[in-house]
Amino acid sequence: MNNKKIKKMHKQAFSVSQNLHSTKPDFKIKEILNNQLEIIKPSKLELEEINNITKEVIGVINANIKKQKLSASVFIGGSSAKGTLIKKDKYDIDLFLRFNSKYSEEEINKNMRKIFFWFVIPGHRIKFKRVHGSRDY
């Protein structure tokens, strides 16, 4: 192959490569993605209900923490905290309790039972599942 053919092939390959890596997404792709996002994300009404229940639960947890005179705080994690909830029939909210480091693992277990033993939110069926976090916060 001569140099002219090689240069021409190189220019063609470079042109195709530029088109494949364009920084401007195709409008049709954006439209499809936006339509799918509308299908999978919870409605404003659902998000409002989830936020209200979450605030209620956190309020009860904080009241129990105060009642027990504990040095602890509750915070939201997971998809709720990141704003990446996906529409489903049942939602879960990841709440984390962070205890002061002065408490031993045994004391934390005991205090968790105190906080959640009679935990009720009138009008809501709430289940708790205690899991150890995948990382320290």
Side-chain angles (χ1 to χ4, degrees), residues 7 21 25 45 54 56 93 98 120 129-130:
K7 284 182 182 178
H21 300 295
L45 183 63
T54 301
E56 233 178 310
I93 306 298
R98 181 176 21 222
V120 176
K129 182 178 179 182
R130 182 175 184 237

Side-chain angles (χ1 to χ4, degrees), residues 59-136:
V60 172
I61 292 170
N62 280 329
N64 287 348
I65 288 171
K66 187 176 181 179
K67 182 179 175 182
Q68 299 297 327
K69 298 178 181 165
L70 299 171
S71 181
S73 60
V74 60
F75 65 98
I76 303 170
S79 57
S80 293
K82 294 183 276 186
T84 57
L85 277 176
I86 294 176
K87 187 181 284 194
K88 33 184 149 164
D89 293 332
K90 290 182 179 181
Y91 293 97
D92 67 323
I93 306 298
D94 298 315
L95 296 177
F96 296 88
L97 280 172
R98 181 176 21 222
F99 286 86
N100 186 305
S101 61
K102 70 181 181 181
Y103 296 108
S104 69
E105 186 75 25
E106 186 179 312
E107 289 173 309
I108 290 172
N109 289 332
K110 180 180 163 189
N111 289 323
M112 291 285 287
R113 285 191 295 276
K114 287 180 182 178
I115 292 169
F116 293 106
F117 186 73
W118 292 109
F119 193 91
V120 176
I121 302 280
H124 300 287
R125 185 171 171 218
I126 298 173
K127 290 183 181 180
F128 286 94
K129 182 178 179 182
R130 182 175 184 237
V131 296
H132 191 278
S134 60
R135 58 192 168 272
D136 294 330

